[in-house]
C-alpha cells in the first residue's frame, strides 16, 4: 500500500516555494451540489490533480443509536427510515425482521412476499436515483429527470401502503399495518407493464454513450482485495468482481423462493458500478414479477397480540384489545434477553442491525452497520491521483447518502 | 464450517485466551482476552479459517460490572464458507485501551474512530484516532450509559409515568 499521507506527498516537491506556487487547498463541500448531502472533502490540489484528500463527516449526525436506547421497539422504525432515505422500506423492514428474530416471530408467507415486493421496489428507486445522478454528474441531466418520474411512481405505491412517500413508516413487528390496497395493485401492474420500456430508454442514453464511457471507465477504480479489506458490500463490491449478496448468501424473507442472478463487474470502477446497478434493476423487476404473480393469500400480519396493534374497533369494544393496545403503545410488552445480528441487502450494501436486549422496553444497545459509512472511508484512496471531475462521478457512483453516513 | 469446528480451532490455538463462548440465535460468540484480540483476529484472517471480512465494530457499556464495564464487539465474516463470528472483549474504565485492527482490515479505521467517539475506547496503533461523528471539542463520549438522552434538569417530564 502506498503512503498517501500529506507529508509524504509534500516531500516529493523540491522546495517550499514550489509548494507555495503550485499547491492549493480546495474545500469540496460541506454544502456542495455534488456532495449529495452534508460532508466535506478537503482536497490538496496540484492544478486539476488531487494529491491528498481528507473527509469530514458528522454534519447531520442525529445520535440514532442513543435515541434508540430510550424508545420502544416499534418507535425505532421512524429512525431507520431516515438513514438511507432513498430506500427507506429496506431499512424499515430490515429492522422489523431483526426484532422478529429476537422475539422468535414467524410471519405468514404473504408478509414475506409483500416485503420482497416493497424492498425490491425500494432497491429500484434507490438505483434509479444513484444512476440518474451519476449520469447527471457526468453532464447528462436528461436521464435523471426521466428516472425521477419513475421514482415518483414507486413513491405513489408507498403512499398506498403507509400514507408517506419519503420516510415510509410501513412495517410493523409481525407484518404490515394494512394489506395492499386495490389502488396499489393497479399502480404496481401499470408499473410492471410500462417501466421496462422506459428504463431501457434510459439505458440506451448512457450505457454505450461514448462520452459517458470515457468519463467513467477507470474512474475511481478499486480492486476486489482492497474493497474487501475496506468492508465493501453491495453493488460497490460486486462491481469489483465479488458476487456477494446477502439475499443469496443468507436469504431472509423468502428470497430463496425466487430465481435471479447476481450481476458482477470486473474493474471496480465507476462504469462497472453503474452497470451493476443497471442490471440489478432488471433482476429486481424479475423478483417483483415472481413475487407478485405468486403472492399467497392469507393474513398480512402474524398473530402476535403482544406486539401487533389490535384493530381500532376492537380497542373501543373489547377489554383485552384495549389492554394489548395500551401495553404496546407504552412499550410494556416483554422482550427476551439476548443479542442478535441481522443483515439485509440494502440499496447500497449489507445493512446490519446489531441488537442487544436486556429484556427492557428499549434495546440495551442498538448498532447500525451502515454501508455508506464503510464506503466513504475508501474515498480518499479511490480519488487520490485523479482529477476533480473523476472524483465527482466516483462519489455519486458509490451511492453516498448522508443520512446513512452519519446516522 | 460449524460453530464447534471454529470454536475448537480457536481454543486449540489460543487455549489461554478464550474466556467464554455461546451461540445466541445461532451465531458463535466468543469472549476473549483483550490483550490477545489482535493475534486471534490475525490468525482468523490468515489461517485456513479465512475470516477475510470485517463486518462491524461497536462498543457497549455495562456500568454495573466495574471489571468488565466497557466492551467492544467485533463481527467477522468468512464469505466463502458464509460463516459469521462474533468476538467480544471487555475491560475496566481504568484500562480502556485495545489494539487497533487497521493493519489487518482497512475498514477498521472509521469503525474504530466511531467507537472511540461514542465510548472513549482508545485503539492502540490507530493512525488517526479522532472523533468522527461528534465535535472534537465535545469533551465526553455520549453513548456511555451515564449520559441521559434528555436534559436531566427538566422537571416537566416524569419518566416514572412511562416505565423508564
Amino acid at each position: 500500500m502506498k503512503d498517501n499521507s500529506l507529508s509524504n506527498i509534500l516531500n516529493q516537491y523540491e522546495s517550499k516555494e514550489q509548494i507555495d506556487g503550485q499547491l492549493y487547498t480546495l474545500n469540496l463541500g460541506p454544502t456542495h451540489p455534488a456532495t449529495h448531502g452534508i460532508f466535506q472533502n478537503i482536497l490538496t490540489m496540484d492544478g486539476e490533480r488531487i494529491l491528498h484528500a481528507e473527509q469530514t463527516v458528522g454534519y447531520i449526525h442525529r445520535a440514532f443509536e442513543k435515541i434508540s436506547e430510550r424508545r420502544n421497539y416499534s418507535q425505532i422504525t421512524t429512525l431507520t427510515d431516515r438513514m438511507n432515505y432513498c430506500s427507506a422500506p429496506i431499512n424499515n423492514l430490515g429492522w422489523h425482521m431483526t426484532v422478529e428474530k429476537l422475539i422468535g416471530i414467524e410471519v405468514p408467507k404473504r408478509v414475506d412476499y409483500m416485503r420482497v415486493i416493497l424492498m425490491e421496489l425500494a432497491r429500484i428507486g434507490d438505483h434509479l436515483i444513484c444512476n440518474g445522478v451519476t449520469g447527471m454528474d457526468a453532464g447528462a441531466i436528461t436521464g435523471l429527470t426521466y428516472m425521477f418520474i419513475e421514482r415518483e411512481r414507486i413513491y405513489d405505491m408507498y403512499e398506498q401502503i403507509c400514507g408517506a412517500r419519503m420516510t415510509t413508516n410501513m412495517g410493523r413487528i409481525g407484518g404490515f399495518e394494512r394489506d395492499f390496497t386495490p389502488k396499489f395493485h393497479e399502480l404496481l401492474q401499470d408499473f410492471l407493464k410500462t417501466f421496462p420500456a422506459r428504463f431501457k430508454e434510459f439505458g440506451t442514453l448512457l450505457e454505450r454513450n461514448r462520452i459517458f464511457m470515457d468519463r467513467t471507465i477507470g474512474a475511481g477504480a478499486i480492486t476486489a482485495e482492497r474493497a474487501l479489506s475496506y468492508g465493501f458490500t453491495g453493488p460497490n463490491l460486486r462491481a469489483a468482481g465479488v458476487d456477494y449478496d446477502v439475499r443469496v448468501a443468507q436469504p431472509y424473507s423468502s428470497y430463496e423462493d425466487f430465481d435471479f442472478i447476481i450481476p458482477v463487474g470486473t474493474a471496480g470502477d465507476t462504469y462497472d458500478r453503474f452497470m451493476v446497478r443497471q442490471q440489478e434493476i432488471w433482476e429486481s423487476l424479475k423478483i417483483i414479477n415472481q413475487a407478485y404473480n405468486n403472492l399467497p393469500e392469507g393474513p398480512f400480519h402474524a398473530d402476535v397480540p403482544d406486539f401487533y396493534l389490535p384493530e381500532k374497533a376492537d380497542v373501543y369494544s373489547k377489554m383485552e384489545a384495549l389492554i394489548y393496545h395500551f401495553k404496546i403503545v407504552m412499550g410494556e410488552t416483554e422482550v427476551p434477553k439476548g443479542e442478535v445480528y441481522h443483515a439485509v441487502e440494502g440499496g447500497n450494501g449489507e445493512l446490519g442491525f446489531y441488537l442487544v436486549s436486556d429484556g427492557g422496553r428499549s434495546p440495551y444497545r442498538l448498532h447500525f452497520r451502515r454501508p455508506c459509512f464503510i464506503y466513504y472511508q475508501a474515498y480518499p484512496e479511490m480519488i487520490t491521483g485523479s482529477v476533480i471531475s473523476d472524483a465527482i462521478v466516483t462519489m455519486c457512483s458509490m451511492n453516498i447518502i448522508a443520512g446513512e453516513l452519519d446516522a | 464450517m460449524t460453530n464447534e469446528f471454529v470454536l475448537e480451532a480457536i481454543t486449540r490455538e489460543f487455549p489461554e485466551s478464550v474466556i467464554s463462548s455461546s451461540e445466541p440465535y445461532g451465531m458463535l460468540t466468543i469472549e476473549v482476552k483483550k490483550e490477545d484480540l489482535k493475534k486471534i483476529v490475525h490468525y482468523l484472517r490468515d489461517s485456513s479459517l479465512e475470516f477475510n471480512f470485517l463486518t462491524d465494530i461497536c462498543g457497549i457499556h455495562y456500568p454495573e460490572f466495574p471489571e468488565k464495564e466497557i466492551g467492544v464487539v467485533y463481527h467477522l465474516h468468512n464469505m466463502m464458507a458464509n460463516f459469521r463470528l462474533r468476538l467480544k472483549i471487555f475491560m475496566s474504565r481504568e484500562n480502556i485501551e485495545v489494539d487497533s485492527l487497521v493493519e489487518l482490515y482497512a475498514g477498521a479505521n472509521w469503525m474504530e474512530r466511531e467507537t472511540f467517539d461514542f465510548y472513549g475506547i482508545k485503539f492502540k496503533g490507530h493512525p488517526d484516532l479522532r472523533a468522527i461523528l461528534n465535535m472534537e471539542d465535545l469533551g465526553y463520549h455520549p453513548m456511555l450509559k451515564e449520559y441521559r438522552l434528555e436534559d436531566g434538569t427538566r422537571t416537566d417530564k416524569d419518566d416514572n409515568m412511562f416505565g423508564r
Side-chain angles (χ1 to χ4, degrees), chain B residues 143-160:
Chain B
M143 285 291 284
L144 293 171
K145 290 281 180 187
E146 63 210 39
Y147 299 110
R148 294 165 59 112
L149 175 66
E150 288 154 27
D151 182 357
T153 59
R154 280 180 68 166
T155 50
D156 56 332
K157 283 188 174 177
D158 185 358
D159 277 358
N160 290 328

Side-chain angles (χ1 to χ4, degrees), chain A residues 102 277 346 398:
Chain A
L102 176 80
R277 287 199 170 84
M398 288 161 75

Side-chain angles (χ1 to χ4, degrees), chain A residues 229, chain B residues 39-53 76 103-106:
Chain A
S229 178
Chain B
K39 65 180 184 194
I40 293 174
V41 176
H42 201 155
Y43 165 75
L44 288 170
R45 192 192 70 162
D46 290 348
S47 70
S48 58
L49 293 173
E50 287 185 291
F51 282 92
N52 60 339
F53 192 81
L76 299 170
E103 285 169 8
L104 300 176
Y105 302 99

Side-chain angles (χ1 to χ4, degrees), chain A residues 54-55 57-59 61 63 65-67 69-70 101-104 226-233 237 242 244 246 248-250 330 332 336-341 343 350 354 356 361 363-370 373-374 376-377 405-407, chain B residues 22 24-25 27 29 52-64 73 75 77 79 82-84 86 88 104-111 113-114 117-119 128 130 132-134 142-150 159 161-164:
Chain A
E54 195 184 319
Q55 271 66 44
V57 299
Y59 287 98
H61 170 50
E65 293 177 8
K66 187 77 175 175
I67 298 171
E69 292 177 12
R70 295 277 279 179
K101 197 167 169 181
L102 176 80
I103 302 169
R226 287 303 288 163
L228 280 170
S229 178
Y230 268 115
F232 274 36
T233 46
L237 178 65
V242 182
Y244 172 71
V246 188
V248 176
Q250 286 168 343
M330 303 311 285
E332 299 299 318
K337 290 180 186 176
E339 59 185 322
V340 58
Y341 178 81
E350 177 175 326
Y354 174 58
V356 180
R361 70 191 291 278
Y364 187 79
R365 171 78 168 109
L366 175 59
H367 179 71
F368 303 110
R369 184 211 191 262
R370 316 177 304 277
F373 183 72
I374 313 274
Y376 201 48
Q377 59 183 319
L405 185 66
D406 286 355
Chain B
S22 57
Y25 296 89
M27 191 191 281
T29 304
N52 60 339
F53 192 81
L54 176 69
T55 306
D56 196 28
I57 297 177
C58 72
I60 190 161
H61 184 203
Y62 291 103
E64 64 271 30
V73 184
H75 284 87
H77 195 176
M79 279 187 174
N82 199 12
F83 186 90
R84 289 184 195 270
R86 185 185 291 134
K88 284 179 171 183
L104 300 176
Y105 302 99
N109 191 327
W110 280 23
M111 298 183 201
R113 278 181 72 183
E114 188 187 48
D117 189 359
F118 287 167
Y119 288 90
D128 182 25
R130 288 179 292 128
I132 186 160
L133 292 179
N134 290 310
M143 285 291 284
L144 293 171
K145 290 281 180 187
E146 63 210 39
Y147 299 110
R148 294 165 59 112
L149 175 66
E150 288 154 27
D159 277 358
M161 302 295 284
F162 298 96
R164 289 172 178 171

